[in-house]
Amino acid sequence: MSRKYFGTDGIRGTANTAPMTAEVALKVGMAAGHYFTRGDHRHRVVIGKDTRLSGYMLEPALVAGFTSMGMDVMLVGPMPTPAVAMLTKSMRADIGVMISASHNPFQDNGIKLFGPDGFKLSDKVELEIEAMMDSDMSALLVAADKLGRAQRIDDAPGRYIEAVKSSLPSSVTLEGLKIVLDCANGAAYSVAPKVLRELGADVIEIGTKPNGLNINAECGSTHTQTMCDRVLAEKADVGIALDGDADRVQMCDEKGQLIDGDQLMGLVTTHWKRTGQLRGNALVATVMSNLGLERYLESNGLRLIRTKVGDRYVVEQMRALDCNVGGEQSGHIVLSDFASTGDGLLASLQVLAVLADRDGPVSEVSRVFDPLPQILKNVRYVAGSDPLSRSSVVDAISSAERAFNGDGRVLIRKSGTEPLIRVMAEGDDAIKVEQIVDGIVAEIMAVAG
């Protein structure tokens, strides 16, 4: 069944342009509010946001939609996506909403929904909400005396800070660590520095002065050079870069060298196996994770279970198989003992705990496997067209798979958030990998217009 509004991670688009308009936000609030109204209790929704200017437009529209369905609204202001998920469950709300476009530039925004258990909604539920959004909901509006109320929850940041800190044993301290922390001028700009400082770290801040327009601008997990350069300049021990809604993280060592999500997941997974914390004897990750990670886990008696791209698909598989570590190469790391979704700050603390347990600099401890050469290129296409169905492209992909002959793999997929086709290949031979990617890209570009 085709989707009109929801993509791989909620609804997303350019602010004040369909579908990211106040009108659509109102419909989301109405539809989701009605869908999650079950029983006779007073229903509640938690709404958080990042620091984008357009949040001031979308937040009141959502409030109007939910209150029109009789739901009380609890506003927590700028807070990380995982904080909204956590607060939804801990405050026993019926639904949670995060207003954010994650790592996208400021002009974009998005709406993510969480169920009462703090987990992202399934495809089935999203499609049911979509269908309701396009229907006449006037008959569902509550009577005037049943309208919901809205209030600010002033202590929400403190609740999240304590929850994140409690994920570390009391014996673990960050005393003596100099950390460069890049909050991307986003949702974690206030809470993340406090967490690290309260745990004893010497924190050098980047991206903690949001102005509504500078979220993810040359900073954060998608612009890691800023963090890497600052680590070298400050002679810091480690760098941490979050994205705009703080559900993903990238880190670097004392040499300013990046440590990607695959390395971080491999580090935590094998450490948790040694300490008896790991469940399922496996790591759940997406099809994008490096083949080197898979081989490393196998050498440690562990499995890599792959899902399609999207952290909610990772979480669904983790829940089905009772695994407690999962994530994406991009830095969405889900540690389900502590959180129901990716949490960049919490994940970085678990990595720091592993590093504190080992002797040696971060550069030596953090790289647990040698990644295979992997190349990813994006090809923009005309929205509505389908270059992947063209015979020349199909033949090029088939030829590439035969060329690897088991020594690598090819992955071609459409982006769920923009009209891009992502072409990825990896294998033992770097030259062959590059030739294969370039060949497929050329064929797609020839028919993409």
Side-chain angles (χ1 to χ4, degrees):
M1 189 171 179
S2 62
R3 292 165 165 261
K4 179 177 179 181
Y5 298 110
F6 287 93
T8 56
D9 195 16
I11 303 171
R12 191 176 297 187
T14 303
N16 223 20
T17 302
M20 200 41 53
T21 63
E23 179 185 10
V24 170
L26 175 68
K27 290 180 178 179
V28 171
M30 293 173 68
H34 178 73
Y35 186 92
F36 282 94
T37 298
R38 301 163 185 175
D40 297 327
H41 65 279
R42 192 70 185 175
H43 291 78
R44 299 187 294 174
V45 56
V46 172
I47 300 180
K49 61 182 180 179
D50 63 24
T51 57
R52 294 165 208 269
L53 180 63
S54 54
Y56 291 104
M57 172 188 70
L58 298 172
E59 183 184 61
L62 284 162
V63 171
F66 282 110
T67 54
S68 75
M69 292 293 159
M71 269 200 176
D72 290 335
V73 179
M74 296 178 286
L75 298 166
V76 300
M79 290 282 282
T81 288
V84 172
M86 181 271 289
L87 290 166
T88 299
K89 183 178 180 181
S90 70
M91 299 181 77
R92 301 185 182 183
D94 299 275
I95 186 172
V97 182
M98 180 65 182
I99 305 168
S100 176
S102 189
H103 58 279
N104 287 27
F106 87 91
Q107 60 265 30
D108 292 342
N109 216 328
I111 298 172
K112 306 179 188 182
L113 303 179
F114 296 91
D117 55 3
F119 289 94
K120 291 181 179 179
L121 305 185
S122 67
D123 289 340
K124 177 178 179 293
V125 172
E126 286 183 346
L127 286 170
E128 290 177 14
I129 291 173
E130 273 200 3
M132 203 180 305
M133 288 169 62
D134 281 340
S135 67
D136 181 3
M137 291 184 280
S138 58
L140 304 176
L141 298 172
V142 301
D145 63 336
K146 302 296 184 183
L147 289 168
R149 301 174 184 269
Q151 63 175 314
R152 294 278 170 188
I153 308 299
D154 295 329
D155 66 344
R159 297 186 189 205
Y160 175 66
I161 287 170
E162 288 307 310
V164 172
K165 286 167 54 183
S166 68
S167 68
L168 288 183
S170 57
S171 59
V172 176
T173 176
L174 303 184
E175 293 282 353
L177 272 182
K178 181 185 278 192
I179 300 173
V180 169
L181 174 65
D182 186 346
C183 294
N185 291 312
Y189 79 95
S190 176
V191 294
K194 291 176 183 175
V195 167
L196 295 181
R197 287 199 174 98
E198 289 180 17
L199 290 171
D202 176 10
V203 181
I204 296 117
E205 297 181 21
I206 303 174
T208 55
K209 294 181 172 58
N211 61 15
L213 307 176
N214 61 357
I215 187 170
N216 299 315
E218 302 302 320
C219 59
S221 65
T222 52
H223 299 279
T224 53
Q225 195 59 49
T226 303
M227 166 188 67
C228 295
D229 290 345
R230 191 66 179 273
V231 165
L232 290 173
E234 298 283 351
K235 294 183 172 56
D237 298 295
V238 66
I240 299 171
L242 306 172
D243 69 336
D245 68 335
D247 66 351
R248 72 166 71 182
V249 63
Q250 293 285 311
M251 299 180 70
C252 75
D253 62 25
E254 78 284 356
K255 298 178 181 179
Q257 298 173 332
L258 277 180
I259 315 163
D260 72 7
D262 280 347
Q263 296 284 358
L264 299 178
M265 290 189 292
L267 180 70
V268 172
T269 301
T270 50
H271 179 76
W272 279 22
K273 181 188 178 183
R274 285 192 293 270
T275 58
Q277 294 171 264
L278 187 68
R279 295 200 311 272
N281 207 44
L283 165 68
V284 180
T286 75
V287 291
M288 297 300 293
S289 279
N290 194 278
L291 191 57
L293 172 62
E294 186 170 354
R295 293 175 179 177
Y296 167 71
L297 293 173
E298 289 174 351
S299 71
N300 282 273
L302 299 169
R303 293 183 297 154
L304 177 64
I305 300 168
R306 295 185 185 269
T307 73
K308 60 182 178 180
V309 173
D311 64 313
R312 68 193 179 109
Y313 301 116
V314 170
V315 172
E316 287 174 3
Q317 192 76 314
M318 290 173 67
R319 298 176 77 184
L321 300 175
D322 192 30
C323 296
N324 58 349
V325 183
E328 298 187 277
Q329 185 185 62
S330 60
H332 281 121
I333 299 176
V334 185
L335 305 171
S336 60
D337 288 354
F338 309 112
S340 57
T341 188
D343 189 326
L345 179 58
L346 191 150
S348 66
L349 289 187
Q350 294 302 312
V351 172
L352 293 175
V354 178
L355 297 175
D357 188 56
R358 311 273 186 90
D359 291 326
V362 176
S363 58
E364 294 180 5
V365 176
S366 61
R367 284 176 177 77
V368 294
F369 71 91
D370 293 324
L372 269 66
Q374 184 183 84
I375 294 177
L376 171 65
K377 292 188 178 182
N378 297 319
V379 185
R380 190 166 294 275
Y381 65 96
V382 177
S385 65
D386 187 15
L388 294 183
S389 66
R390 302 290 288 272
S391 60
S392 60
V393 176
V394 172
D395 290 345
I397 295 171
S398 297
S399 176
E401 290 171 340
R402 290 193 300 271
F404 271 131
N405 194 30
D407 292 329
R409 64 190 185 103
V410 177
L411 177 66
I412 317 293
R413 67 180 186 89
K414 288 184 178 180
S415 167
T417 57
E418 51 189 329
L420 293 176
I421 293 173
R422 306 195 191 281
V423 180
M424 190 273 281
E426 64 179 352
D428 294 300
D429 186 334
I431 294 175
K432 180 187 287 188
V433 169
E434 185 172 12
Q435 290 173 340
I436 284 174
V437 169
D438 287 346
I440 296 173
V441 166
E443 288 295 340
I444 295 174
M445 289 179 66
V447 301

